[in-house]
């Protein structure tokens, strides 16, 4: 990262360029499970709400603004480990495994839907950084976002970026409130206010299944219909699988699936099931934001 002028953090997108992948859904279907917790985590990491003053990079002028009608088609790129653990433009720590994005003028943070027009996949991402400043590129997504959109290896892709108005207004209100909540827009975006009460491991009941391993839901040949699961771990030791399941209960229903790939069993810990890949992506985003990196979507 380099400082161009006070309060403006800018990065150069000279890394490989990639497009975001996910599932198609209408913005009205998107919701964080727990907005206060989401915002509390952002603030604890040093993140703030900001729009920013006009600035200039490489001779080009930009004017940040709250534009809740924003929709644009253009090229997307991605950025990864060169900026991992460094500060974003609004003060957060960049996590290349979270689903975030950089935009030149949208409020920080705001929520956008990014659709890869080359394969139809889309994701919901939180904009928390500035950029890209390479000509003809309109958004930089995180490495994880590029993976989900299916263009990480390619580097760039043609995308459509749409701001999600209700969600963006809600996260702004929550960021500026003392209790991290959005009273005005809570019903519109279906935000929750509490996490499920934790249950001691010894009292938890798990669904044990011997179904065959599911294929990755974001594989190009995979059908679009569910059910979908978010797999958060695979263990040869059942007790370790139970420990992981206990830590994942905050995100919803947890199941342990037993599969025999050889003479030994493997216990897969999964969240779900979800009717659409979009629902699964929302949970995956939440899990990533809590620091669990090795997660994936599977279709069963």
């Amino acid at each position: 990262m380099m400082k161009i002028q006070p309060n403006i953090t800018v990065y150069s997108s000279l890394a490989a360029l990639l497009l975001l992948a996910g599932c198609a859904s209408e913005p009205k279907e998107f919701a964080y499970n727990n907005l206060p917790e989401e915002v509390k985590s952002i603030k604890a990491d040093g993140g703030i709400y900001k729009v920013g003053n006009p600035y200039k990079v490489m001779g080009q002028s930009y004017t940040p603004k709250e534009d809740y009608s924003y929709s644009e088609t253009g090229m997307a790129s991605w950025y990864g480990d060169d900026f991992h653990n460094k500060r974003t433009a609004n003060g957060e720590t960049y996590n290349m495994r979270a689903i975030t994005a950089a935009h030149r003028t949208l409020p920080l943070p705001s929520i956008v839907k990014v659709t890869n027009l080359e394969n139809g996949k889309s994701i919901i991402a939180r904009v928390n950084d500035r950029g890209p400043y390479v000509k003809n590129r309109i958004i930089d997504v995180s490495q994880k976002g590029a993976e989900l959109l299916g263009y990480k290896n390619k580097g760039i892709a043609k995308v459509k970026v749409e701001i999600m108005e209700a969600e963006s207004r809600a996260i702004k209100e929550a960021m500026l409130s003392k209790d991290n909540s959005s009273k005005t827009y809570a019903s519109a975006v279906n935000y929750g206010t509490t996490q499920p009460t934790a249950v001691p491991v010894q009292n938890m009941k798990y669904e044990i299944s011997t179904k065959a391993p599911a294929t990755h839901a974001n594989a190009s040949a995979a059908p679009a219909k569910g059910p979908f699961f978010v797999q958060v771990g695979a263990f040869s030791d059942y007790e370790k699988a139970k420990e992981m399941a206990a830590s994942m209960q905050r995100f919803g229903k947890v199941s342990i699936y037993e599969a025999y790939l050889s003479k030994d069993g493997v216990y897969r810990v999964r969240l779900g099931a979800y009717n659409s890949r979009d629902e699964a992506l929302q949970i995956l985003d939440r899990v990533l934001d809590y620091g669990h990196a090795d997660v994936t979507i599977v279709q069963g």
Side-chain angles (χ1 to χ4, degrees):
M1 293 284 182
M2 60 178 178
K3 292 285 185 179
I4 300 300
Q5 54 178 270
N7 300 321
I8 299 294
T9 304
V10 183
Y11 57 82
S12 174
S13 304
L14 298 180
L17 306 174
L18 299 169
L19 280 182
L20 297 174
C23 25
S25 69
E26 293 302 317
K28 65 182 180 181
E29 297 176 354
F30 172 75
Y32 282 117
N33 285 339
N34 194 327
L35 179 61
E37 282 297 317
E38 184 85 11
V39 170
K40 180 180 179 181
S41 176
I42 293 172
K43 289 181 178 179
D45 187 40
I48 62 171
Y49 179 83
K50 65 180 291 185
V51 178
N53 299 319
Y55 64 99
K56 182 178 292 188
V57 177
M58 294 186 290
Q60 180 66 45
S61 297
Y62 302 97
T63 304
K65 60 181 178 179
E66 293 179 343
D67 181 2
Y68 294 117
S69 64
Y70 172 82
S71 178
E72 186 177 7
T73 298
M75 301 306 294
S77 51
W78 66 274
Y79 63 129
D81 56 7
D82 286 347
F83 301 98
H84 187 63
N85 287 329
K86 296 182 179 180
R87 291 292 172 181
T88 66
N90 77 325
E92 295 181 49
T93 302
Y94 173 63
N95 180 358
M96 66 182 184
R97 305 307 301 170
I99 305 176
T100 59
H103 192 274
R104 294 186 292 255
T105 59
L106 288 177
L108 308 176
S110 56
I111 308 300
V112 295
K113 178 181 179 182
V114 184
T115 302
N116 185 341
L117 298 179
E118 298 173 8
N119 60 18
K121 295 180 178 180
S122 64
I123 61 168
I124 305 300
R126 186 176 78 247
V127 177
N128 66 354
D129 210 352
R130 289 289 180 229
Y133 298 105
V134 176
K135 187 177 181 180
N136 296 327
R137 293 176 196 163
I138 62 173
I139 196 167
D140 248 356
V141 303
S142 63
Q143 178 176 310
K144 185 64 179 182
E147 291 170 1
L148 294 173
L149 285 175
Y151 73 92
K152 177 172 180 277
N153 293 334
K154 180 181 177 182
I156 57 173
K158 187 175 183 179
V159 300
K160 182 177 182 179
V161 181
E162 305 165 272
I163 193 168
M164 301 180 72
E165 179 178 0
E167 290 77 2
S168 295
R169 289 183 183 275
I171 200 167
K172 172 191 174 181
E173 185 176 355
M175 287 292 296
L176 297 178
S177 70
K178 292 182 179 180
D179 61 358
N180 304 328
S181 69
S182 173
K183 298 178 177 61
T184 303
Y185 296 95
S187 59
V189 294
N190 193 31
Y191 286 116
T193 56
T194 59
Q195 294 285 6
T197 303
V199 177
V201 173
Q202 61 268 26
N203 295 329
M204 295 180 69
K205 295 181 180 180
Y206 302 100
E207 173 186 349
I208 305 297
S209 172
T210 56
K211 292 170 61 178
T215 57
H216 286 274
N218 56 354
S220 59
K225 296 183 179 180
F228 298 93
F229 301 83
V230 177
Q231 183 164 306
V232 295
F235 306 85
S236 59
D237 186 334
Y238 179 61
E239 292 302 316
K240 290 183 178 179
K242 286 205 310 183
E243 291 178 7
M244 175 62 78
S247 69
M248 290 291 109
Q249 193 185 14
R250 71 177 66 191
F251 301 106
K253 180 183 176 182
V254 186
S255 299
I256 298 176
Y257 289 79
E258 185 177 11
Y260 288 90
L261 304 182
S262 61
K263 65 178 181 179
D264 298 318
V266 175
Y267 300 97
R268 295 187 171 96
V269 181
R270 293 176 178 173
L271 294 162
Y274 308 103
N275 293 327
S276 70
R277 190 180 295 137
D278 187 55
E279 291 180 75
L281 278 170
Q282 293 172 30
I283 299 301
L284 181 144
D285 192 8
R286 296 279 304 160
V287 174
L288 288 172
D289 282 347
Y290 272 80
H292 300 279
D294 295 326
V295 296
T296 189
I297 294 176
V298 295
Q299 185 173 347

